[in-house]
Amino acid sequence: MAAHIGRRLRKGAATTAVAAAAVAALSASQAPGVTVDDQGRQSTGDATSAPDTAADDSATGNSPYYTDLPPLNSPNPSPSAGSGATGDQSAAEAGIPATVLDAYKQAEATLRTKKPGCNLPWQLLAAIGKVESGQARGGRVKADGTTVTPILGPQLDGNGFALIRDTDNGAYDGNRMYDQAVGPMQFIPSTWEWAGRDGNGDGRKDPNNIYDAALAAGHYLCRFDWDLSQQSDLRKAILSYNNSTDYLNTVLSWLEFYRKGTHEIPDGTGALPEDRSDETVRPGVTPSAPGTTPPARPGTRPGKPAGSRPSPSPTTPGTGSPSTPPTTPSPSTPPTPTDTVHHLEDAGTGTLTAMAGHTFAERISTRAETEAGKAVAKVRIRFTVVGDTDTAFAGGESVATVTTDASGVAVAPALQAGERTGAFAVQAAVVGRSVKGVPYKVTVTQRVADALARVGDKELACVAGGEFAEPVEIKATYGGEAAGKVAVTAKLVTSADDPAENDKGPYFKDADGKAVRTLTGLKTGADGQLTLPKLYADDTAGTFLLRLTTAGGATLDVKLTVEPAATPSPDPSPDPEPSTDPSTDPSTEPSETPAA
């Protein structure tokens, strides 16, 4: 034990230096105004806490994490790596198992397309994966990315950890009493329920699959429209995963380490982390690493006393309960705020209506109350979009979880209307307790414009039987702003007072080249502008009207002029044919005949 403690102390001195160097480098390169003290601790000022919706509802439930810091040597394997135990250990600690690394890079590529403004680096996923599970316990994954055995955090029973009673009936963690963080990215079940993704295309969302978990973590970090190339947003995102400044600094250290370079190592050969954030022994509790401890293999740290940190026996999600769960909550466990919630009430939410593509001005507010009507703070409320709609909360998520404030009220993030119009619902419910929820009716209306104007002022004219050289261009606005994706109808009308379709004059052509005088299905571009198809004219001259209308009542009449076709001038009279009468042709006059 003395040797073990001595090694821990030596390691602590080295890793503190690494932390100071890594965080200082990150601060210098990316975080103006961020300071680092002489112990390597980063001062993040006001940015050390994420918004309430993130900090109070972390992805992991603020479960324990690994505090091991990067090695002092280069992240790239040295030429001597593999020549001895020290080289093997260094390469294993610095490297990332092949399948795990592939999952991180695939998630980055997907998010680059789905949420390009997030600028998610795969190295951030690698840093979080290292801290949460030691890269899936050293890369102990199958070919499809699923962990060989489930990786489970300790049950969140309030005994030294957060108290989160079961929210999934044991479906993900096998525990029907309390929640446990699950998988290589350590999601708690209630967060996985909405954040889970299918990253390997097998039709399932499995928190124990590194491809699914990495993609889910990427989406989780990119919500709230955070831009992770900005240091303040990066810190908020990391803190939303686990709301601890020590956790933030540990992840930033690994992020900086991996940004300098890393290398791929075979699956199952990664070094196992040693030190965890919960290694202060609680009364009657032996600290243990999340999940199961695999057999020793190349890459594990030498000198670790056997059995110094036993792990609980694993359980298979869905089988009911962990191997040794308490059958009932401890009588000494005080009720949580969630336990006292009797019902939910609407907290003054107004009408939830917005035009397609627009942000809802009104936000949903829900109040948690006891049976006596008293407000309950610190209760997690889950808001779920229900129905056939593409409307979502900020960041494109269909579910948002928010913690009630001191007045018992949880305010959902703003809804962003999609393009699908109609009515649907948002359901508010208490996380971890079965009480009647509150449904909110939400309506998305079609895009409209309140004004139309022609772009350009050049006269639109052509001759009968010809075609108009200038196209008709218009711009739609709503409230003075460009109205994009607004439906427009173009119709050639009989007159300003008669909206009937004209049967003569200018016309459009359909796909078969036939004349049509009414066009529907036209839409303005994102800038509110629309260029109509080419116009043609029949042989009728005169002045005609093209009427443009949109949903919302905006109307514009455009004058079209068809000039008569030019009348050809008559041919001039032909010159008379030259005479062939000899009597009139001077050249044929008879010559004077001399006298006999």
Side-chain angles (χ1 to χ4, degrees), residues 352 386-389 420-426 440-445:
L352 294 165
V386 181
D388 184 17
T389 181
R420 202 170 301 166
T421 59
F424 59 96
V426 172
Y440 293 86
K441 182 180 178 181
V442 185
T443 304
V444 176
T445 60

Side-chain angles (χ1 to χ4, degrees), residues 7-25 36-42 67-72 246 249-250 253 275:
R7 182 188 59 75
R8 289 283 302 276
L9 291 173
R10 290 192 297 274
K11 178 179 180 293
T15 53
T16 297
V18 173
V23 177
V36 179
D37 66 18
D38 57 0
Q39 299 299 315
R41 292 186 294 266
Q42 185 177 12
T67 58
D68 299 53
L69 292 170
L72 291 172
D246 288 338
N249 289 337
T250 305
S253 297
D275 305 319

Side-chain angles (χ1 to χ4, degrees), residues 80-450:
S80 62
S83 60
T86 301
D88 289 342
Q89 172 61 25
S90 176
E93 188 172 28
I96 300 177
T99 299
V100 178
L101 179 60
D102 183 57
Y104 296 148
K105 291 184 176 181
Q106 281 199 29
E108 180 198 55
T110 299
L111 268 298
R112 192 183 302 126
T113 300
K114 296 290 186 181
K115 296 184 178 181
C118 179
N119 295 305
L120 171 78
W122 66 261
Q123 292 92 339
L124 176 58
L125 297 176
I128 290 176
K130 182 71 175 182
V131 170
E132 292 296 345
S133 69
Q135 309 299 19
R137 303 296 291 153
R140 297 188 69 239
V141 295
K142 303 174 185 176
D144 68 350
T146 302
T147 57
V148 175
T149 54
I151 299 175
L152 298 174
Q155 64 180 15
L156 300 174
D157 57 8
N159 188 10
F161 306 119
L163 175 56
I164 303 179
R165 300 198 189 280
D166 176 54
T167 61
D168 65 330
N169 198 31
Y172 295 117
D173 54 14
N175 189 338
R176 295 182 180 178
M177 189 65 65
Y178 301 100
D179 271 351
Q180 295 175 248
V182 182
M185 302 304 278
Q186 290 288 278
F187 279 95
I188 55 173
S190 59
T191 300
W192 182 262
E193 189 64 29
W194 62 265
R197 294 293 190 280
D198 177 14
N200 62 350
D202 64 356
R204 299 174 62 238
K205 300 176 182 178
D206 182 3
N208 293 295
N209 182 281
I210 186 58
Y211 287 98
D212 295 357
L215 184 59
H219 276 278
Y220 185 90
L221 294 164
C222 287
R223 72 202 194 288
F224 302 124
D225 293 327
W226 283 329
D227 177 359
L228 303 186
S229 66
Q230 301 296 317
Q231 190 67 8
S232 60
D233 282 357
L234 174 65
R235 289 194 298 270
K236 291 175 185 176
I238 296 172
L239 285 165
S240 79
Y241 214 89
N242 190 312
N243 193 24
S244 159
T245 302
D246 288 338
Y247 178 88
L248 169 70
N249 289 337
T250 305
V251 170
L252 287 176
S253 297
W254 281 104
L255 171 60
E256 181 65 14
F257 181 78
Y258 287 136
R259 275 178 167 162
K260 291 178 180 178
T262 186
H263 60 282
E264 180 182 297
I265 59 175
D267 289 343
T269 64
L272 298 182
E274 293 183 316
D275 305 319
R276 286 207 331 180
S277 60
D278 63 334
E279 285 197 325
T280 299
V281 177
R282 297 177 289 152
V285 178
T286 302
S288 59
T292 60
T293 303
R297 60 184 182 281
T300 57
R301 295 179 183 238
K304 186 72 174 177
S308 63
R309 187 165 40 180
S311 299
S313 300
T315 60
T316 301
T319 58
S321 62
S323 56
T324 56
T327 56
T328 58
S330 171
S332 61
T333 302
T336 67
T338 300
D339 294 332
T340 66
V341 177
H342 178 266
H343 60 272
L344 296 179
E345 293 284 349
D346 174 41
T349 306
T351 303
L352 294 165
T353 301
M355 189 190 308
H358 288 239
T359 301
F360 282 75
E362 186 72 17
R363 293 169 65 179
I364 297 172
S365 297
T366 302
R367 176 180 162 95
E369 297 183 354
T370 65
E371 186 173 8
K374 184 179 178 181
V376 184
K378 298 183 180 180
V379 173
R380 294 184 299 155
I381 307 298
R382 180 186 295 132
F383 299 94
T384 306
V385 178
V386 181
D388 184 17
T389 181
D390 55 352
T391 295
F393 294 109
E397 304 294 347
S398 61
V399 178
T401 305
V402 183
T403 302
T404 57
D405 60 17
S407 63
V409 174
V411 181
L415 282 165
Q416 178 67 38
E419 295 302 320
R420 202 170 301 166
T421 59
F424 59 96
V426 172
Q427 184 76 23
V430 178
V431 176
R433 185 167 175 80
S434 297
V435 298
K436 186 177 180 180
V438 179
Y440 293 86
K441 182 180 178 181
V442 185
T443 304
V444 176
T445 60
Q446 65 179 325
R447 292 175 180 263
V448 299
D450 56 15

